[in-house]
Amino acid sequence: MSLPVRVRFAPSPTGFLHVGGARTALFNWLYARHTGGKFILRIEDTDKARNTVEAVQVIYDGLKWLGLDWDEGPGVGGDCGPYFQSERDAVYQKYLDKLLAAGAVYEDEKKAVRFKGPRKLIVMEDLVCGRVEVDRSKPINPLGDMEPDMTIRRPDGSWIFHFVNVVDDIEMGITHVIRGEDHLSNTPKHIEIYQALGVTPPQFAHIPLILNRSGGKMSKRDQGASVQQYIDEGYAPESVANYLCLLGWSPKDNREKLPMEEVVSLFELDKINRRNAAFDTDKCFWLNGQYIHEMTLERFRALCMPVMERAGLPIGGFSNDYLDHVLASVKEKIKLLKDVPAWTAYFFTDDFAFDEEAVNKTLRAGGAAARLTQLASHLETLPAESWEPVALESAFKALSAEAGVKTALFIHPARVAASGRSVGPSLYHMLAILGRDKVLARLRAAAAK
RNA sequence: GACCCUAUCGUCCAGUGGUUAGGACAACGGCCUUUCAAGCCGUGAACACGGGUUCGAAUCCCGUUAGGGUCGCCA
């Protein structure tokens, strides 16, 4: 009988949640949910110089946005707290005493505490990478130098990552360490500490790294490196989470879009591949469009409201019914939520922007003004109850037949006159939603320009 | 430089000894349509290289090359 799974995400608060970190958190969360285990959040804030409250908040916000809830950690508590390394000094001191008693550490000339490396062959059975052997008894260069003993405590008494990471994983009962492959080379050192402490190491699973589009390590500066960017650009959290699942893992049946509940049931560590993956912004963008097109109107509305409010659209003055009609008309077209304000502003205000290119191309075209006037007069004859898509379409077709020109010659100017744009929802639906008075006024205003 | 990991279309993911090497994004072409950053259909596009093992290798082994990672009083 194996122990219940306990995994953790242990970020350092840098003021930024990297997509690689988010993907690591996601895989840990998936494994915990898949096995019915616990997902723990631990803040590795040993480097006092870089810590701020805001930086920690960024981590909480990013994880919550992605839907990754933690069972133990800041805000929710748990039996193994505190969950900030900066508050666990006594724990580390206790373990340092154990190492001291075992003769495994010493103080160097600068008063830093170092761990006496056993310099043996370390064999790891990684759940993703397989068996990995590292011979620590060998010199690290042709000169015969050995790797220096690692420091575990600075002269000022603060602790170093390798030591506290291991101590906390022991104290918190972590059964599986799922982390980025950049830690694979650190793992032998960690195993040495476990061994010196007489503790069986947890299972390790080193997941491949996320590369930028040109194949290099995704750094802070790269497009799409920060989770915040997806929030700002109007991605739906479910699509980003879905996309991240597909980087290094797959359901094996060629599906791309699949609900998180299904990923949870399918997720296995040994199905994670070993290859680094480049982040494909285009595909993430496409997937987001798929999610938006297929989500319910209620969900779409919930995601759009804050974006529209932030953009200053006076949506408060309109009925929920009107708002829903507007949103429904653009839902199938939009790929990013941040585009919603530009796509819908003219539904809520008469003071909307005219796209210069659209104006030049269609409104200033020869005869456009005359046709707009003609169109307005024609539409005016429509009975109020016929102001709906089907009747509007018939009206456009009848008018163009009468005038002996293609319907498009009325359609395009009408669209620009009514919305200021050359792209948007279905024209007849758009006009129907806007209503007779606004449409007629806009057609005549554009004709008079 | 040493050590470790990796190697299928431009990108992501399938394919674990016998396949016309499959899907998705992107690209390109067409269709539909009032627009497209919508939808539909289609095309091009890959097993890094060299040796083995085998009747037979994308799949197994070795080497080469390339990419990535680690070698801190960062995490």
Side-chain angles (χ1 to χ4, degrees):
Chain A
M1 220 18 225
S2 53
L3 289 167
V5 166
R6 290 175 62 80
V7 293
R8 48 55 167 192
F9 176 52
S12 170
T14 58
F16 162 99
L17 182 57
H18 193 276
V19 280
R23 201 264 239 111
T24 300
L26 173 62
F27 280 18
N28 274 281
W29 180 89
L30 284 170
Y31 192 58
R33 295 294 169 262
H34 175 77
T35 56
K38 298 281 188 233
F39 175 58
I40 296 149
L41 176 63
R42 180 174 78 222
I43 305 298
E44 305 220 327
D45 54 351
T46 55
D47 189 2
K48 290 173 188 142
R50 313 204 290 189
N51 291 317
T52 64
V53 225
E54 301 80 58
V56 180
Q57 191 61 43
V58 167
I59 295 168
Y60 304 155
D61 291 346
L63 293 179
K64 284 180 187 163
W65 184 75
L66 284 167
L68 308 181
D69 53 323
W70 52 98
D71 305 305
E72 292 179 26
V76 298
D79 297 336
C80 305
Y83 293 90
F84 291 86
Q85 289 188 329
S86 57
E87 297 171 13
R88 298 175 61 80
D89 207 66
V91 178
Y92 307 137
Q93 189 57 54
K94 189 177 90 187
Y95 277 79
L96 179 62
D97 290 343
K98 287 187 192 183
L99 289 179
L100 235 25
V105 292
Y106 63 93
E107 204 170 74
D108 70 13
E109 61 283 358
K110 289 179 189 156
K111 300 288 179 197
V113 177
R114 284 179 183 269
F115 177 76
K116 211 180 289 174
R119 307 185 197 286
K120 296 187 303 190
L121 175 73
I122 300 288
V123 180
M124 323 177 251
E125 287 294 341
D126 192 276
L127 264 16
V128 173
C129 300
R131 185 187 184 87
V132 179
E133 295 185 7
V134 178
D135 193 349
R136 310 260 301 152
S137 69
K138 287 185 175 163
I140 55 167
N141 61 31
L143 302 176
D145 292 333
M146 300 302 284
E147 188 171 330
D149 288 328
M150 70 176 137
T151 305
I152 62 174
R153 197 183 68 180
R154 301 183 186 91
D156 70 359
S158 60
W159 306 91
I160 301 292
F161 159 74
H162 301 291
F163 177 65
V164 293
N165 185 267
V166 166
V167 168
D168 283 341
D169 284 345
I170 293 170
E171 280 283 301
M172 296 182 181
I174 300 304
T175 58
H176 297 72
V177 171
I178 305 167
R179 62 187 5 169
E181 201 201 87
D182 49 340
H183 285 296
L184 185 59
S185 301
N186 288 146
T187 303
K189 298 179 193 173
H190 297 183
I191 290 176
E192 287 176 346
I193 297 176
Y194 280 103
Q195 290 176 343
L197 252 11
V199 176
T200 306
Q203 304 243 71
F204 292 97
H206 286 94
I207 64 180
L209 267 20
I210 297 181
L211 273 25
N212 60 32
R213 198 57 210 267
S214 37
K217 188 184 179 183
M218 179 87 98
S219 78
K220 238 176 167 168
R221 288 214 174 81
D222 286 309
Q223 261 298 309
S226 164
V227 171
Q228 189 59 43
Q229 199 175 322
Y230 299 90
I231 302 176
D232 294 343
E233 289 188 358
Y235 280 82
E238 52 268 44
S239 67
V240 176
N242 189 153
Y243 178 74
L244 252 18
C245 288
L246 264 23
L247 243 31
W249 177 88
S250 92
K252 307 287 182 195
D253 58 6
N254 284 338
R255 277 183 304 163
E256 311 289 334
K257 178 174 183 277
L258 63 167
M260 202 49 64
E261 307 83 71
E262 207 174 340
V263 179
V264 166
S265 73
L266 259 26
F267 190 81
E268 295 286 356
L269 292 176
D270 59 12
K271 299 258 185 58
I272 297 173
N273 68 31
R274 302 162 70 164
R275 246 187 112 184
N276 290 165
F279 194 98
D280 187 349
T281 320
D282 286 335
K283 188 156 179 177
C284 188
F285 176 72
W286 166 80
L287 193 58
N288 196 57
Q290 295 301 301
Y291 268 92
I292 288 179
H293 301 166
E294 292 169 30
M295 70 178 51
T296 63
L297 187 59
E298 289 64 39
R299 174 68 177 150
F300 186 57
R301 190 204 303 125
L303 290 171
C304 288
M305 296 276 276
V307 178
M308 296 168 90
E309 275 160 7
R310 229 178 295 130
L313 295 189
I315 54 177
F318 294 84
S319 69
N320 288 339
D321 194 50
Y322 182 80
L323 184 61
D324 277 356
H325 276 100
V326 169
L327 292 178
S329 77
V330 299
K331 183 169 166 287
E332 310 299 317
K333 307 278 187 167
I334 289 268
K335 279 196 176 175
L336 289 177
L337 298 169
K338 76 162 182 201
D339 292 334
V340 171
W343 275 67
T344 60
Y346 58 87
F347 281 114
F348 303 104
T349 171
D350 290 322
D351 184 27
F352 56 90
F354 276 81
D355 178 69
E356 205 175 322
E357 206 182 310
V359 170
N360 289 334
K361 216 165 143 186
T362 54
L363 247 33
R364 300 227 168 98
R371 277 194 294 276
L372 283 174
T373 309
Q374 202 184 348
L375 178 64
S377 306
H378 185 77
L379 293 182
E380 203 165 26
T381 65
L382 267 187
E385 66 273 18
S386 293
W387 196 265
E388 47 81 33
V390 175
L392 282 165
E393 182 169 359
S394 308
F396 269 74
K397 294 207 162 134
L399 177 59
S400 55
E402 189 187 308
V405 298
K406 286 198 297 185
T407 318
L409 286 176
F410 285 102
I411 282 166
H412 295 304
R415 171 182 294 284
V416 179
S419 71
R421 300 160 52 86
S422 58
V423 296
S426 150
L427 177 71
Y428 308 118
H429 286 86
M430 183 181 107
L431 299 183
I433 296 166
L434 273 171
R436 177 189 162 101
D437 295 346
K438 269 188 184 162
V439 172
L440 294 179
R442 288 182 188 181
L443 293 180
R444 293 205 161 105
K449 262 193 185 174

